[in-house]
């Protein structure tokens, strides 16, 4: 059995208390420039009105207090970013992101620990992944240091929206998009880096219970030579039809196969896939179609330390039905067991993971 104990020595886990938050807010206010609105430690919002919402949280956007915005310079660097009140942003009708899909997203979480401190996990990994994706999409990107500072500033300014440890988490969504106007198929002349946050609960309606999935035979989430291995914004609209059909038929999610042989496992809609057989954990090998998930990377490191053999390889779909355990992982879903798999109209019950996924947020 694969038993997750999250502990990392070669990574950064940001943890800050309310006193740090207040100090950080004051520093932001003191260094205000370039017209950005800055958060202060006494924004006079009603905490009671927020507290009442925790029990009704779902995975839907909630209007919070502040967003972070930073624009690119002519040389491709980013500077003069800062916080501003949550609200709409201006964008040209001929913006590259609207007309040609030149955009990248990231996502991560902020958790509140039992002692009240707020934790961010492996933020620098998200910053690095955005830079890799931006290079593929002919976009400049903030440095990793700028990315980390922007995330921590945005979470700090929206501290009151971080749910208690047993009520959910703060979803953090960085975006990088071509905002400058274009007509020809060329990179945008200007780019915007933006972060918004929203309190959410579980990605699936069933919470952390085992999910039932269907294997998709016709629609593919990525093709060789495409952008399936980065978080390009256009990757997700193409699978909405398969996702909607699956939901209508009572499934939790869709598992996609490769576009060449229609046989090898790729990913779920928003998560990587793992199968466990005896002492071996297998997952599709990274390449031009598989997203390098940060949770995926962490699980592989944990598995190695627990003595498992880890195989990153082509995984035929038929191995799902001979596995001891099948599970998915990703920022939004965390780590979830798969309870049943349906292929070509026939359902198979899997022996799902027995470790307590509900403890994972506290360990992150």
């Amino acid at each position: 059995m694969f038993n997750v104990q999250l502990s990392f020595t070669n990574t950064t886990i940001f943890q800050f208390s309310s006193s740090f938050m207040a100090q950080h807010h004051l520093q932001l206010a003191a260094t205000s420039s370039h017209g950005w609105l800055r958060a202060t430690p006494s924004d006079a919002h009603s905490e009671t009105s927020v507290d009442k919402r925790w029990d009704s949280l779902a995975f839907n956007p909630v209007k919070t207090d502040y967003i972070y915005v930073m624009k690119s310079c002519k040389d491709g660097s980013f500077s003069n970013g800062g916080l501003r009140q949550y609200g709409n942003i201006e964008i040209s009708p001929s913006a590259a992101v609207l007309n040609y899909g030149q955009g990248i997203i990231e996502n991560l979480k902020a958790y509140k620990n039992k002692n009240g401190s707020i934790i961010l996990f492996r933020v620098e990994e998200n910053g690095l992944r955005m830079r890799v994706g931006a290079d593929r999409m002919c976009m400049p990107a903030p440095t990793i240091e700028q990315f980390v500072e922007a995330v921590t500033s945005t979470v700090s300014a929206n501290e009151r929206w971080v749910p208690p440890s047993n009520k959910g988490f703060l979803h953090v969504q960085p975006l990088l998009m071509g905002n400058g106007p274009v007509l020809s198929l060329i990179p945008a002349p200007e780019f915007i880096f933006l972060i918004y946050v929203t309190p959410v609960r579980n990605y699936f309606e069933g919470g952390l219970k085992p999910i039932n999935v269907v294997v998709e035979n016709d629609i593919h989430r990525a093709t060789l030579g495409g952008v399936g291995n980065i978080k390009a914004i256009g990757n997700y609209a193409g699978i909405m039809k398969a996702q909607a059909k699956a939901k209508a038929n009572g499934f939790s999610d869709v598992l996609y196969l490769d576009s060449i042989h229609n046989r090898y496992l790729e990913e779920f809609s928003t998560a990587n896939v793992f199968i466990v057989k005896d002492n071996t954990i297998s997952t599709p090998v990274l390449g031009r179609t598989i997203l390098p998930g940060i949770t995926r990377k962490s699980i592989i490191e944990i598995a190695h330390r627990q003595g498992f053999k880890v195989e990153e390889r082509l995984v035929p779909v038929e191995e799902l039905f001979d596995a001891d355990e099948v599970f998915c992982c990703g920022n939004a879903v965390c780590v979830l067991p798969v309870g049943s798999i349906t292929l070509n109209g026939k359902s198979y019950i899997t022996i799902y993971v027995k470790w307590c996924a509900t403890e994972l947020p506290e360990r992150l």
Side-chain angles (χ1 to χ4, degrees):
M1 184 191 305
F2 180 41
N3 180 28
V4 175
Q5 299 288 334
L6 290 180
S7 175
F8 300 94
T9 55
N10 297 318
T11 187
T12 303
I13 298 179
F14 293 90
Q15 179 169 320
F16 35 87
S17 63
S18 294
S19 60
F20 169 85
M21 294 288 197
Q23 181 182 8
H24 191 57
H25 288 172
L26 286 170
Q27 290 173 346
L28 288 172
T31 58
S32 177
S33 60
H34 310 290
W36 297 118
L37 296 172
R38 299 292 180 163
T40 65
S42 57
D43 280 320
H45 294 296
S46 170
E47 299 296 333
T48 303
S49 63
V50 175
D51 291 341
K52 290 180 179 179
R53 299 178 185 176
W54 300 140
D55 292 333
S56 61
L57 277 181
F59 203 88
N60 296 310
V62 174
K63 182 179 179 180
T64 51
D65 296 329
Y66 295 95
I67 62 174
Y68 187 96
V69 181
M70 183 164 55
K71 294 183 179 181
S72 65
C73 303
K74 290 183 178 180
D75 63 359
S77 63
F78 283 79
S79 62
N80 302 337
L83 296 163
R84 56 184 286 186
Q85 288 182 338
Y86 188 103
N88 296 335
I89 62 170
E90 289 188 5
I91 190 166
S92 169
S94 58
V97 67
L98 295 180
N99 292 270
Y100 297 115
Q102 192 180 26
I104 296 274
I105 63 170
E106 274 296 329
N107 43 65
L108 56 154
K109 297 174 181 175
Y111 293 100
K112 184 167 285 185
N113 217 340
K114 288 183 178 179
N115 64 8
S117 60
I118 295 174
I119 299 174
L120 291 165
F121 181 70
R122 290 194 144 177
V123 187
E124 71 283 354
E125 294 280 353
N126 293 90
L128 175 60
R129 189 169 65 181
M130 174 170 274
R131 289 184 61 83
V132 172
D135 180 70
R136 172 64 177 84
M137 299 285 283
C138 295
M139 306 169 69
T143 66
I144 296 176
E145 292 76 14
Q146 287 176 318
F147 184 96
V148 171
E149 171 61 24
V151 168
T152 54
S153 295
T154 309
V155 172
S156 174
N158 291 282
E159 174 192 4
R160 75 187 188 102
W161 292 97
V162 183
S165 60
N166 62 338
K167 297 292 186 178
F169 54 89
L170 190 70
H171 181 87
V172 183
Q173 186 96 358
L175 301 93
L176 180 63
M177 50 190 173
N179 184 49
V182 295
L183 190 57
S184 299
L185 184 56
I186 57 175
E190 180 183 279
F191 296 86
I192 287 181
F193 174 65
L194 181 148
I195 302 176
Y196 71 90
V197 299
T198 182
V200 296
R201 198 141 192 179
N202 299 307
Y203 184 76
F204 293 110
E205 292 181 0
L208 295 172
K209 296 178 181 179
I211 59 173
N212 58 319
V213 303
V214 60
V215 178
E216 174 60 43
N217 284 308
D218 298 322
I219 295 176
H220 300 280
R221 63 165 295 278
T223 59
L224 289 176
V227 290
N229 62 337
I230 64 172
K231 291 186 73 69
I233 60 172
N235 287 351
Y236 302 92
I239 60 174
M240 286 182 180
K241 186 172 184 178
Q243 183 80 345
K245 180 181 177 181
K247 296 281 187 180
N249 290 324
F251 295 104
S252 307
D253 204 357
V254 179
L255 180 56
Y256 295 92
L257 303 177
D258 75 288
S259 62
I260 302 298
H261 306 283
N262 208 40
R263 179 192 177 195
Y264 298 103
L265 302 184
E266 293 249 312
E267 293 182 24
F268 292 96
S269 300
T270 59
N272 294 111
V273 59
F274 283 83
I275 66 172
V276 183
K277 181 66 176 178
D278 299 325
N279 199 51
T280 301
I281 296 179
S282 301
T283 190
V285 63
L286 295 180
R288 290 176 287 174
T289 60
I290 305 297
L291 184 72
I294 296 165
T295 310
R296 174 190 182 274
K297 178 180 179 180
S298 304
I299 286 175
I300 290 173
E301 293 173 5
I302 295 167
H304 279 303
R305 288 209 304 270
Q306 290 192 358
F308 281 88
K309 178 182 178 182
V310 179
E311 295 181 345
E312 297 181 72
R313 58 179 173 84
L314 295 177
V315 182
V317 65
E318 52 265 28
E319 289 191 22
L320 288 171
F321 313 113
D322 188 46
D324 296 331
E325 302 174 2
V326 180
F327 64 93
C328 64
C329 70
N331 177 74
V333 304
C334 196
V335 182
L336 279 181
V338 175
S340 70
I341 301 169
T342 297
L343 174 64
N344 296 326
K346 185 176 181 180
S347 296
Y348 302 81
I349 305 298
T350 64
I351 303 175
Y352 56 84
V353 291
K354 302 175 181 64
W355 40 265
C356 184
T358 57
E359 296 180 8
L360 283 173
E362 298 175 6
R363 294 173 183 162
L364 281 176

